[in-house]
Amino acid sequence: MIVPGTRFGSYEIVGALGAGGMGEVYRARDTKLHRDVAIKVLPKMFAADPDRLARFEREAQSLAALNHTNIAQVYGQVELPAEAGSHSVALVMELVEGEDLSQRIARGTIPLDEALSIAKQIAEALEAAHERGIIHRDLKPANIKVRDDGTVKVLDFGLAKAIEISAPDAKVGATAVMNSPTFTSPAVTEMGVILGTAAYMSPEQARGKAVDRRADVWAFGVVLYEMLSGVRPFDGETMTDALSAIISREPDWKALPADAGRSVGPLLRRCLEKDPRKRLQAIGEARIALEAPFAPPAPGAVRQGGINAPVVAALVVGALSLGALAGWAVTFGRQRQPTTVPARLSLPIAPADSLTGGFVLSPDGSQVAFIGQLAGRNQIFIRRMDRDEASALSGTEGASVVGPAFSPDGRWLVFTATGTLKKVPADGGPVAILAQTSAGGNSRPAWGPDDTIVFSNTARGLSRVAASGGEPQVLTTPDLKGGEMAHEMPWFLLDGKTLLFDVRRSTSSSNSGSTMIVALTLATGDRRALFPGMVLGFVGENQLIIARDNSVLSLPFDTNRLAATGEPTAPLPGVVNAQPIMFSTVPLFTVARNGTMVFLPSRAGEGDHPMMIIDRSGTSTRMAVPPHRYSDPRVSPDGQRLAVHVFEEGRDNWIVDLRRGSFMRLTFDVGEDETPIWSPDGKWVFWTSTRGNVNRAIYRKASDGSGAEQMVWSGDSHVHVGGIT
């Protein structure tokens, strides 16, 4: 402790203000400028580490350049006199009077209006810092001051980075926690490392990965949730409990007050996405949302969609209902940021028992057609936005899960079923057969403005047929020798002269290197490759909606030059890219020309499952491995290892050491590797895969990961290896 009256330079210590993971804080008097300041004396470990001191000085210079109303100003740094003990360096900072946010929350939940005002100022502070390349890394209520006049000041920007251990000296555990907020742990305090409050760490921090500004977005969401509910969304008695909650559990959304859940619930869900790629990508998006008036509509009200005020609708499968979210503008010509707060309404899919496949909006956005199940069989249902429930279309039983497509005038639907292309009036009527299609029905057809329909043919290419029927014309054929698997998801440009479609080189819908958007000039047959690693979702007048990796984005597009006119914008909120269903890829979003979007909302960790071991008595034990989208688990003959397919990691096969809980990736090809099985002696793992020019083959590799893969069988049929004798 530094005693009051101690002087160094123009500063005189008045008294102690507190102590924490980042050091001791004192009130001091600046005798030259006649103002009170805060002196933050950094931990003793700095004195013996010149490299860390030098790095801290560089970071302090960056922090001093931050000048924003909602950021506590760093004035500079000073060296302390000998009477300060083994301390050697301190920061001179703006003294912010008032209580910190943790003290305010301790008194009870914060009313919505007040919480939103505080949150907006926090977002503005973070945005200003992020624009200068500074990440807070330690955002929590204790680092947020609220003055009596309501002004918010965020403290300790970048200090976690400034004092972290340099790479040569860092151990794995220390690196993980130094990327995280302050949590004191005996295991690391012996090294002199300060860790923070685990409850505010992002999942990537909890896993020890590198962080970027999206970690601050997560912490912002945690703080906003805590202000509104009075409890932390992720907590536990120990640090391990808290980290486990962050990685594997969802917040209790019911803990939010009803008005807060309706107004800011969608924003909080985006901030607290466990996958940083799906999370809100910039805190400025949160600021814009918070600046809008929060006025949820009356129950059952529908906001009218259009280019100036479009509606975003969400299919909520778990509740067997269709919901609507208004607030993300899909304007065809430019991408607008959210200007209103999302609002929900119920649109039941009854009488369907469940949603089992794709869905599509009519061009004017007035109705949505979807594949549902009734009495155990798929068929098409149509739901008009001005009616109370959906209607089943007779004669569409057995419709492919990829879903139907509307005619340009919205009066007809075209779909595939049992290897045939069919059409049916949208308001019900006789079904007409148009042509033979790919038996798998692997792609939704497209109905062009010239009244022709493009569909997947039996060779997995594309053909065209008149909407009135007739002899189909082959448009494309996959180049199997060049590695092409199929041509899918055709879309007409508005003039009907050019067709855009996806070329798929692998059945792995999650692998961005396996797809290409291609343009076909119908009059000449000329093809032009446009965008690798993207999947087409919608073609507008001056805009494409595309899927890349697991995000859905808007891409400005010149339909005359067939070229992008800008970069893809930030992902649309909570929209799922696509989902494989019965060996077909079903986009889980659809867009109408008036700006309406219907989509299946994503949820953090959705599809992830813990790994469980069940013994012969039926007792289940959770394995010490993180949840993932696992499938096809096979235990080795000696019971010590597990071969498993991991969906989101490139659709590859992995080996899990059941004793240590460690992972080893076994396969690395862009093809889909699945159904791993063990040889009887446990030395080999066999699996089926799509590789290069082969539709389906069986491979093997040494189970310890050594050596090269070996193809042991190939063929044209869709097979899976089931066992070895």
Side-chain angles (χ1 to χ4, degrees):
M1 294 288 293
I2 304 177
V3 298
T6 301
R7 296 192 59 150
F8 42 96
S10 61
Y11 303 105
E12 180 179 346
I13 297 296
V14 176
L17 291 175
M22 293 296 181
E24 300 167 354
V25 185
Y26 298 87
R27 177 189 289 268
R29 183 68 178 173
D30 185 336
T31 57
K32 284 187 177 180
L33 298 179
H34 304 289
R35 64 180 179 184
D36 284 350
V37 297
I39 302 288
K40 181 177 284 285
V41 180
L42 298 184
K44 299 178 181 180
M45 53 189 169
F46 277 76
D49 193 338
D51 290 338
R52 295 179 72 188
L53 277 174
R55 185 172 65 254
F56 171 77
E57 289 176 357
R58 293 193 298 269
E59 293 291 338
Q61 291 173 3
S62 298
L63 299 178
L66 278 179
N67 187 6
H68 188 272
T69 304
N70 299 117
I71 297 176
Q73 180 74 43
V74 174
Y75 297 137
Q77 66 180 74
V78 293
E79 293 186 4
L80 301 184
E83 54 264 36
S86 58
H87 297 294
S88 62
V89 66
L91 282 179
V92 183
M93 306 171 64
E94 175 185 358
L95 178 65
V96 182
E97 304 285 0
E99 63 181 0
D100 65 50
L101 193 55
S102 66
Q103 295 169 316
R104 173 62 184 85
I105 294 173
R107 300 204 313 269
T109 58
I110 301 178
L112 179 61
D113 289 346
E114 182 183 352
L116 295 181
S117 174
I118 294 172
K120 179 177 174 293
Q121 294 181 72
I122 297 171
E124 289 177 343
L126 291 173
E127 186 178 19
H130 290 175
E131 287 176 352
R132 300 188 69 92
I134 297 174
I135 305 169
H136 194 292
R137 295 168 179 253
D138 194 14
L139 185 69
K140 56 186 177 181
N143 280 338
I144 300 166
K145 285 268 197 171
V146 183
R147 296 196 317 206
D148 292 341
D149 63 0
T151 301
V152 171
K153 293 282 187 177
V154 181
L155 315 177
D156 286 354
F157 260 100
L159 285 188
K161 172 68 174 178
I163 70 170
E164 73 178 352
I165 304 173
S166 58
D169 300 325
K171 297 182 180 179
V172 173
T175 303
V177 287
M178 286 316 301
N179 279 333
S180 69
T182 13
F183 193 111
T184 304
S185 168
V188 290
T189 49
E190 293 176 1
M191 300 164 48
V193 179
I194 307 300
L195 308 179
T197 307
Y200 303 91
M201 292 170 61
S202 66
E204 58 269 29
Q205 288 173 292
R207 290 189 171 103
K209 296 181 179 180
V211 301
D212 56 25
R213 64 186 185 180
R214 293 172 295 186
D216 283 352
V217 172
W218 172 280
F220 168 82
V222 175
V223 171
L224 178 54
Y225 180 101
E226 188 176 353
M227 283 195 290
L228 295 169
S229 67
V231 296
R232 295 171 178 170
F234 311 101
D235 212 346
E237 294 183 2
T238 67
M239 183 171 70
T240 301
D241 293 337
L243 297 181
S244 176
I246 289 167
I247 293 172
S248 61
R249 288 211 313 259
E250 280 292 292
D252 180 6
W253 298 111
K254 294 180 181 178
L256 294 172
D259 58 345
R262 287 193 303 268
S263 58
V264 296
L267 173 63
L268 280 173
R269 289 179 184 272
R270 287 207 66 204
C271 291
L272 297 180
E273 284 280 3
K274 295 188 189 296
D275 185 345
R277 297 173 301 175
K278 296 179 181 179
R279 195 176 305 152
L280 204 70
Q281 296 297 291
I283 195 65
E285 295 180 50
R287 174 187 56 77
I288 292 171
L290 292 169
E291 286 175 345
F294 285 84
V302 180
R303 295 194 182 190
Q304 297 300 315
I307 289 181
N308 292 322
V311 173
V312 180
L315 281 159
V316 186
V317 180
L320 297 181
S321 63
L322 198 71
L325 293 175
W328 192 272
V330 180
T331 60
F332 305 112
R334 62 192 180 94
Q335 173 72 50
R336 294 195 312 163
Q337 295 295 326
T339 56
T340 60
V341 177
R344 293 182 180 272
L345 57 101
S346 176
L347 296 175
I349 65 172
D353 297 326
S354 60
L355 180 76
T356 54
F359 42 89
V360 62
L361 275 165
S362 61
D364 64 359
S366 65
Q367 51 191 336
V368 59
F370 60 91
I371 303 297
Q373 191 172 89
L374 184 63
R377 194 172 188 188
N378 286 345
Q379 68 182 110
I380 298 176
F381 293 79
I382 193 158
R383 172 66 159 83
R384 293 185 59 88
M385 299 300 185
D386 59 357
R387 295 184 182 175
D388 293 333
E389 65 177 24
S391 300
L393 293 183
S394 178
T396 64
E397 293 82 3
S400 168
V401 294
V402 296
F406 275 97
S407 61
D409 60 9
R411 297 174 57 191
W412 291 84
L413 286 166
V414 61
F415 64 100
T416 59
T418 60
T420 56
L421 182 72
K422 302 179 180 181
K423 70 173 183 179
V424 63
D427 56 359
V431 174
I433 296 177
L434 301 177
Q436 296 299 307
T437 70
S438 169
N442 60 295
S443 177
R444 179 185 297 158
W447 196 315
D450 61 349
D451 221 24
T452 61
I453 296 168
V454 175
F455 61 96
S456 293
N457 58 35
T458 55
R460 303 198 68 144
L462 298 174
S463 290
R464 176 170 58 176
V465 68
S468 57
E471 188 67 25
Q473 171 197 3
V474 175
L475 294 177
T476 72
T477 301
D479 179 8
L480 298 179
K481 292 183 178 180
E484 294 183 356
M485 298 285 295
H487 296 167
E488 303 173 344
M489 302 307 297
W491 282 90
F492 284 92
L493 295 190
L494 296 184
D495 62 7
K497 298 178 181 179
T498 303
L499 189 77
L500 302 187
F501 62 94
D502 296 335
V503 173
R504 187 169 297 282
R505 295 178 177 272
S506 163
T507 58
S508 173
S509 65
S510 66
N511 194 304
S512 61
S514 65
T515 58
M516 170 75 75
I517 297 178
V518 172
L520 173 69
T521 303
L522 294 172
T524 64
D526 293 338
R527 284 174 55 177
R528 183 196 302 183
L530 299 181
F531 307 114
M534 298 183 184
V535 175
L536 193 58
F538 178 79
V539 175
E541 183 176 354
N542 298 302
Q543 186 181 39
L544 303 181
I545 304 297
I546 56 98
R548 185 175 64 187
D549 297 322
N550 289 320
S551 297
V552 177
L553 307 101
S554 172
L555 179 67
F557 183 71
D558 188 324
T559 55
N560 294 318
R561 296 190 297 111
L562 299 179
T565 57
E567 293 297 318
T569 61
L572 303 182
V575 183
V576 177
N577 172 352
Q579 175 172 311
I581 300 178
M582 297 174 62
F583 310 115
S584 299
T585 298
V586 179
L588 298 183
F589 64 94
T590 174
V591 184
R593 300 207 179 278
N594 70 345
T596 301
M597 171 179 275
V598 169
F599 67 96
L600 187 69
S602 65
R603 294 291 179 265
E606 184 174 25
D608 288 358
H609 306 285
M611 193 84 76
M612 308 293 293
I613 296 178
I614 304 176
D615 62 23
R616 294 182 184 274
S617 67
T619 302
S620 61
T621 304
R622 180 168 177 167
M623 293 175 56
V625 296
H628 280 294
R629 297 180 67 179
Y630 299 112
S631 68
D632 308 322
R634 292 291 183 97
V635 179
S636 62
D638 63 4
Q640 302 299 313
R641 292 178 294 169
L642 185 76
V644 65
H645 174 74
V646 182
F647 181 86
E648 73 269 30
E649 298 291 345
R651 287 194 170 189
D652 282 298
N653 293 326
W654 292 65
I655 302 295
V656 182
D657 188 317
L658 297 177
R659 295 166 300 178
R660 301 184 180 91
S662 60
F663 279 77
M664 179 190 75
R665 188 171 180 175
L666 187 69
T667 65
F668 296 86
D669 191 86
V670 296
E672 179 182 21
D673 301 317
E674 55 187 349
T675 60
I677 64 170
W678 296 86
S679 61
D681 60 6
K683 294 181 178 180
W684 297 90
V685 174
F686 292 74
W687 70 90
T688 54
S689 178
T690 54
R691 301 286 176 91
N693 303 334
V694 181
N695 281 342
R696 181 65 58 174
I698 297 176
Y699 291 80
R700 76 170 187 173
K701 188 176 182 179
S703 61
D704 62 3
S706 64
E709 300 172 355
Q710 303 171 12
M711 186 172 69
V712 298
W713 179 89
S714 67
D716 294 330
S717 57
H718 195 103
V719 299
H720 293 276
V721 58
I724 296 178
T725 58

